[in-house]
């Protein structure tokens, strides 16, 4: 009997149901787990709870929605040897506007000078020069200029005052109608604002200061029309007739120029100075009767005065010559003389006045 070689059978191992179940669900568990992680990550990103790679976390105090997306570079400390310091010293000097003169000037009067020509040259008002030279003018603007005399020219309009013993800053400011501050703060006075002590005989500029002046023009006495006779005093006056041309009150400029070359009308200069070269024809500003023609001793020099027989009268001063006779009737525009610089004047121009019933009227009120 043949014998078969047989391999003994291995016993079948029993697998428990739980073990089989675990082997079946691992992939499923891992898949679900991955899904949960992905969902969680997306939720965190959605609610800004997680910073994604490449994003820059915003500063917790930066609430500006338009802030930069990138942080500023960190300032690196450097050694003190590489740092350059610039020292700036404080400037305690008062800034003076360009073109403002601060010094007093001594000016020698030249031939042909007038007080108004000098004042224009230095950009000042004529009265400022008068006030600065009291010992020469004594506040009288009719004082004639002497060639070679020296005038003091102040640095600005106002009063250049010589400080006297016993003067008080408050009283001086009140006297010349300015504030104490304007005197103390004027740079050329060099005063300490905390202790503005001023020495006797020191020059003190009082910018904007004023004081009264004598009248520039002396009134020429005359008798207005009375129906009989009228006489203007002085060598050029005459007994004018009782009738004559009546003016229209439509005055014209007495020269071809309407440019003011010197003083304008003020309380101390009761007329206007019209630019006129030596020998320029002077015309009657309106029709009327000549009541004065010739030399006048009150500063006008050669002068013509016309009564317009309607309450108005006009006066023409500093003429080089006259061409009408006292008592004659003239029409508007008629030549009555030539411009000059006689009387209290050292430069050719025409001094022109307008009077109404004996009172001075600003010529600008009646001229076109």
């Amino acid at each position: 009997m043949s014998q078969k070689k047989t391999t003994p059978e291995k016993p079948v191992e029993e697998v428990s149901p739980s073990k089989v179940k675990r082997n079946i669900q691992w992939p499923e568990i891992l898949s679900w787990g991955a899904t949960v992680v992905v969902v969680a990550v997306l939720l965190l990103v959605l609610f800004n709870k997680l910073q994604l790679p490449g994003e820059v976390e915003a500063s917790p105090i930066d609430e500006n929605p338009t802030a930069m997306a990138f942080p500023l570079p960190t300032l690196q400390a450097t050694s003190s040897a590489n740092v350059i310091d610039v020292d700036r010293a404080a400037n305690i000097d008062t800034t003076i506007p360009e073109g403002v003169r601060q010094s007093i000037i001594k000016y020698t009067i030249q031939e042909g000078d007038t007080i108004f020509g000098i004042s224009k040259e230095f950009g000042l008002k004529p009265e400022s020069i008068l006030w600065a030279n009291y010992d020469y003018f004594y506040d009288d603007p009719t004082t004639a200029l002497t060639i070679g005399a020296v005038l003091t020219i102040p640095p600005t309009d106002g009063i250049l005052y010589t400080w006297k013993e016993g003067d008080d800053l408050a009283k001086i400011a009140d006297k010349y109608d300015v504030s104490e501050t304007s005197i103390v703060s004027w740079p050329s006075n060099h005063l300490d604002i905390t202790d503005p002590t001023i020495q006797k005989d020191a020059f003190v500029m009082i910018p904007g200061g004023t004081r009264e002046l004598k009248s520039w023009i002396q009134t020429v006495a005359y008798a207005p029309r009375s129906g009989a006779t009228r006489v203007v005093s002085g060598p050029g006056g005459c007994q004018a007739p009782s009738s004559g041309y009546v003016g229209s009150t439509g005055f014209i400029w007495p020269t071809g120029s309407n440019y003011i070359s010197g003083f304008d009308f003020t309380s101390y200069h009761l007329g206007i100075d019209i630019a006129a070269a030596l020998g320029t024809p002077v015309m009657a500003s309106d029709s009327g009767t000549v009541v004065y023609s010739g030399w006048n001793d009150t500063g006008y020099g050669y002068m013509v005065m016309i009564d317009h027989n309607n309450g108005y009268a006009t006066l023409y001063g500093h003429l080089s010559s006259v061409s009408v006779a006292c008592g004659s009737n003239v029409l508007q525009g008629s030549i009555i003389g030539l411009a000059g610089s006689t009387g209290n004047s050292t430069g050719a121009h025409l001094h022109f006045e307008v009077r109404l019933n004996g009172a001075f009227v600003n010529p600008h009120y009646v001229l076109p």
Side-chain angles (χ1 to χ4, degrees), residues 2-39:
S2 61
Q3 212 173 15
K4 276 186 184 178
K5 189 176 179 181
T6 61
T7 304
E9 295 181 5
K10 295 182 180 179
V12 177
E13 182 180 356
E14 286 190 16
V15 179
S16 66
S18 61
K19 186 174 182 180
V20 173
K21 189 176 181 180
R22 279 196 301 271
N23 290 335
I24 294 173
Q25 291 187 356
W26 268 115
E28 251 184 280
I29 292 172
L30 292 175
S31 176
W32 278 104
T35 301
V36 170
V37 170
V38 171
V39 171

Side-chain angles (χ1 to χ4, degrees), residues 307-322:
D307 188 332
H308 301 288
N309 299 310
N310 54 11
Y312 280 101
T314 51
L315 184 149
Y316 312 77
H318 306 313
L319 301 176
S320 60
S321 65
V322 296

Side-chain angles (χ1 to χ4, degrees), residues 259-276:
Y259 173 68
I260 305 301
S261 66
F263 281 109
D264 211 329
F265 185 87
T266 67
S267 61
Y268 58 87
H269 184 255
L270 301 171
I272 59 175
D273 291 329
I274 303 173

Side-chain angles (χ1 to χ4, degrees), residues 107 112-124 126 129 145 261-263 273 346-347:
Y107 177 78
D113 275 343
T114 61
I115 187 67
F116 42 82
I118 296 171
S119 64
K120 183 178 180 180
E121 180 180 346
F122 290 99
L124 300 172
I129 296 178
L145 298 182
S261 66
F263 281 109
D273 291 329
T346 58

